[in-house]
mmCIF file with all atom_site columns, all heavy atoms in Angstrom:
data_model
loop_
_atom_site.group_PDB
_atom_site.id
_atom_site.type_symbol
_atom_site.label_atom_id
_atom_site.label_alt_id
_atom_site.label_comp_id
_atom_site.label_asym_id
_atom_site.label_entity_id
_atom_site.label_seq_id
_atom_site.pdbx_PDB_ins_code
_atom_site.Cartn_x
_atom_site.Cartn_y
_atom_site.Cartn_z
_atom_site.occupancy
_atom_site.B_iso_or_equiv
_atom_site.pdbx_formal_charge
_atom_site.auth_seq_id
_atom_site.auth_comp_id
_atom_site.auth_asym_id
_atom_site.auth_atom_id
_atom_site.pdbx_PDB_model_num
ATOM 1  N N   . GLY A 1 116 ? 115.532 91.234 37.033 1.00 0.00 ? 345 GLY A N   1
ATOM 2  C CA  . GLY A 1 116 ? 115.409 90.444 38.193 1.00 0.00 ? 345 GLY A CA  1
ATOM 3  C C   . GLY A 1 116 ? 116.310 89.214 38.187 1.00 0.00 ? 345 GLY A C   1
ATOM 4  O O   . GLY A 1 116 ? 117.082 88.953 37.272 1.00 0.00 ? 345 GLY A O   1
ATOM 5  N N   . LEU A 1 117 ? 116.213 88.399 39.341 1.00 0.00 ? 346 LEU A N   1
ATOM 6  C CA  . LEU A 1 117 ? 117.072 87.223 39.412 1.00 0.00 ? 346 LEU A CA  1
ATOM 7  C C   . LEU A 1 117 ? 116.696 86.224 38.337 1.00 0.00 ? 346 LEU A C   1
ATOM 8  O O   . LEU A 1 117 ? 115.494 86.049 38.050 1.00 0.00 ? 346 LEU A O   1
ATOM 9  C CB  . LEU A 1 117 ? 116.819 86.595 40.829 1.00 0.00 ? 346 LEU A CB  1
ATOM 10 C CG  . LEU A 1 117 ? 117.290 87.383 41.963 1.00 0.00 ? 346 LEU A CG  1
ATOM 11 C CD1 . LEU A 1 117 ? 116.829 86.684 43.285 1.00 0.00 ? 346 LEU A CD1 1
ATOM 12 C CD2 . LEU A 1 117 ? 118.819 87.579 41.977 1.00 0.00 ? 346 LEU A CD2 1
ATOM 13 N N   . ASP A 1 118 ? 117.635 85.542 37.686 1.00 0.00 ? 347 ASP A N   1
ATOM 14 C CA  . ASP A 1 118 ? 117.381 84.572 36.728 1.00 0.00 ? 347 ASP A CA  1
ATOM 15 C C   . ASP A 1 118 ? 117.364 83.200 37.395 1.00 0.00 ? 347 ASP A C   1
ATOM 16 O O   . ASP A 1 118 ? 118.338 82.698 37.940 1.00 0.00 ? 347 ASP A O   1
ATOM 17 C CB  . ASP A 1 118 ? 118.528 84.639 35.710 1.00 0.00 ? 347 ASP A CB  1
ATOM 18 C CG  . ASP A 1 118 ? 118.312 83.704 34.547 1.00 0.00 ? 347 ASP A CG  1
ATOM 19 O OD1 . ASP A 1 118 ? 117.158 83.165 34.335 1.00 0.00 ? 347 ASP A OD1 1
ATOM 20 O OD2 . ASP A 1 118 ? 119.217 83.504 33.716 1.00 0.00 ? 347 ASP A OD2 1
ATOM 21 N N   . LEU A 1 119 ? 116.142 82.605 37.557 1.00 0.00 ? 348 LEU A N   1
ATOM 22 C CA  . LEU A 1 119 ? 115.942 81.393 38.280 1.00 0.00 ? 348 LEU A CA  1
ATOM 23 C C   . LEU A 1 119 ? 115.582 80.217 37.317 1.00 0.00 ? 348 LEU A C   1
ATOM 24 O O   . LEU A 1 119 ? 114.980 80.376 36.324 1.00 0.00 ? 348 LEU A O   1
ATOM 25 C CB  . LEU A 1 119 ? 114.702 81.463 39.198 1.00 0.00 ? 348 LEU A CB  1
ATOM 26 C CG  . LEU A 1 119 ? 114.775 82.699 40.263 1.00 0.00 ? 348 LEU A CG  1
ATOM 27 C CD1 . LEU A 1 119 ? 113.532 82.508 41.121 1.00 0.00 ? 348 LEU A CD1 1
ATOM 28 C CD2 . LEU A 1 119 ? 115.999 82.594 41.091 1.00 0.00 ? 348 LEU A CD2 1
ATOM 29 N N   . SER A 1 120 ? 116.092 79.024 37.753 1.00 0.00 ? 349 SER A N   1
ATOM 30 C CA  . SER A 1 120 ? 115.630 77.816 37.118 1.00 0.00 ? 349 SER A CA  1
ATOM 31 C C   . SER A 1 120 ? 114.284 77.389 37.651 1.00 0.00 ? 349 SER A C   1
ATOM 32 O O   . SER A 1 120 ? 113.784 77.986 38.664 1.00 0.00 ? 349 SER A O   1
ATOM 33 C CB  . SER A 1 120 ? 116.641 76.673 37.360 1.00 0.00 ? 349 SER A CB  1
ATOM 34 O OG  . SER A 1 120 ? 116.569 76.285 38.752 1.00 0.00 ? 349 SER A OG  1
ATOM 35 N N   . SER A 1 121 ? 113.685 76.404 37.020 1.00 0.00 ? 350 SER A N   1
ATOM 36 C CA  . SER A 1 121 ? 112.365 75.946 37.498 1.00 0.00 ? 350 SER A CA  1
ATOM 37 C C   . SER A 1 121 ? 112.467 75.430 38.990 1.00 0.00 ? 350 SER A C   1
ATOM 38 O O   . SER A 1 121 ? 111.600 75.594 39.798 1.00 0.00 ? 350 SER A O   1
ATOM 39 C CB  . SER A 1 121 ? 111.830 74.923 36.563 1.00 0.00 ? 350 SER A CB  1
ATOM 40 O OG  . SER A 1 121 ? 111.608 75.410 35.334 1.00 0.00 ? 350 SER A OG  1
ATOM 41 N N   . GLU A 1 122 ? 113.581 74.743 39.199 1.00 0.00 ? 351 GLU A N   1
ATOM 42 C CA  . GLU A 1 122 ? 113.803 74.171 40.599 1.00 0.00 ? 351 GLU A CA  1
ATOM 43 C C   . GLU A 1 122 ? 114.001 75.259 41.621 1.00 0.00 ? 351 GLU A C   1
ATOM 44 O O   . GLU A 1 122 ? 113.486 75.202 42.745 1.00 0.00 ? 351 GLU A O   1
ATOM 45 C CB  . GLU A 1 122 ? 115.033 73.239 40.595 1.00 0.00 ? 351 GLU A CB  1
ATOM 46 C CG  . GLU A 1 122 ? 114.885 71.993 39.859 1.00 0.00 ? 351 GLU A CG  1
ATOM 47 C CD  . GLU A 1 122 ? 115.199 72.143 38.335 1.00 0.00 ? 351 GLU A CD  1
ATOM 48 O OE1 . GLU A 1 122 ? 115.554 73.316 37.909 1.00 0.00 ? 351 GLU A OE1 1
ATOM 49 O OE2 . GLU A 1 122 ? 115.172 71.082 37.633 1.00 0.00 ? 351 GLU A OE2 1
ATOM 50 N N   . GLN A 1 123 ? 114.659 76.415 41.256 1.00 0.00 ? 352 GLN A N   1
ATOM 51 C CA  . GLN A 1 123 ? 114.804 77.495 42.099 1.00 0.00 ? 352 GLN A CA  1
ATOM 52 C C   . GLN A 1 123 ? 113.502 78.201 42.370 1.00 0.00 ? 352 GLN A C   1
ATOM 53 O O   . GLN A 1 123 ? 113.263 78.720 43.483 1.00 0.00 ? 352 GLN A O   1
ATOM 54 C CB  . GLN A 1 123 ? 115.858 78.475 41.506 1.00 0.00 ? 352 GLN A CB  1
ATOM 55 C CG  . GLN A 1 123 ? 117.296 77.853 41.558 1.00 0.00 ? 352 GLN A CG  1
ATOM 56 C CD  . GLN A 1 123 ? 118.276 78.559 40.763 1.00 0.00 ? 352 GLN A CD  1
ATOM 57 O OE1 . GLN A 1 123 ? 117.944 79.181 39.731 1.00 0.00 ? 352 GLN A OE1 1
ATOM 58 N NE2 . GLN A 1 123 ? 119.561 78.559 41.160 1.00 0.00 ? 352 GLN A NE2 1
ATOM 59 N N   . LEU A 1 124 ? 112.659 78.321 41.333 1.00 0.00 ? 353 LEU A N   1
ATOM 60 C CA  . LEU A 1 124 ? 111.362 78.965 41.555 1.00 0.00 ? 353 LEU A CA  1
ATOM 61 C C   . LEU A 1 124 ? 110.545 78.064 42.513 1.00 0.00 ? 353 LEU A C   1
ATOM 62 O O   . LEU A 1 124 ? 109.820 78.555 43.378 1.00 0.00 ? 353 LEU A O   1
ATOM 63 C CB  . LEU A 1 124 ? 110.561 79.086 40.269 1.00 0.00 ? 353 LEU A CB  1
ATOM 64 C CG  . LEU A 1 124 ? 109.185 79.787 40.390 1.00 0.00 ? 353 LEU A CG  1
ATOM 65 C CD1 . LEU A 1 124 ? 109.261 81.123 41.021 1.00 0.00 ? 353 LEU A CD1 1
ATOM 66 C CD2 . LEU A 1 124 ? 108.466 79.892 39.056 1.00 0.00 ? 353 LEU A CD2 1
ATOM 67 N N   . ALA A 1 125 ? 110.576 76.757 42.349 1.00 0.00 ? 354 ALA A N   1
ATOM 68 C CA  . ALA A 1 125 ? 109.910 75.865 43.269 1.00 0.00 ? 354 ALA A CA  1
ATOM 69 C C   . ALA A 1 125 ? 110.472 76.100 44.738 1.00 0.00 ? 354 ALA A C   1
ATOM 70 O O   . ALA A 1 125 ? 109.619 76.073 45.679 1.00 0.00 ? 354 ALA A O   1
ATOM 71 C CB  . ALA A 1 125 ? 110.193 74.351 42.900 1.00 0.00 ? 354 ALA A CB  1
ATOM 72 N N   . GLU A 1 126 ? 111.710 76.244 44.888 1.00 0.00 ? 355 GLU A N   1
ATOM 73 C CA  . GLU A 1 126 ? 112.232 76.467 46.190 1.00 0.00 ? 355 GLU A CA  1
ATOM 74 C C   . GLU A 1 126 ? 111.803 77.864 46.791 1.00 0.00 ? 355 GLU A C   1
ATOM 75 O O   . GLU A 1 126 ? 111.494 77.946 47.953 1.00 0.00 ? 355 GLU A O   1
ATOM 76 C CB  . GLU A 1 126 ? 113.799 76.373 46.117 1.00 0.00 ? 355 GLU A CB  1
ATOM 77 C CG  . GLU A 1 126 ? 114.432 76.349 47.475 1.00 0.00 ? 355 GLU A CG  1
ATOM 78 C CD  . GLU A 1 126 ? 115.863 75.847 47.511 1.00 0.00 ? 355 GLU A CD  1
ATOM 79 O OE1 . GLU A 1 126 ? 116.055 74.761 46.986 1.00 0.00 ? 355 GLU A OE1 1
ATOM 80 O OE2 . GLU A 1 126 ? 116.694 76.609 47.989 1.00 0.00 ? 355 GLU A OE2 1
#
Side-chain angles (χ1 to χ4, degrees):
L346 298 172
D347 188 10
L348 304 181
S349 68
S350 297
E351 293 86 356
Q352 291 166 330
L353 181 59
E355 193 161 304

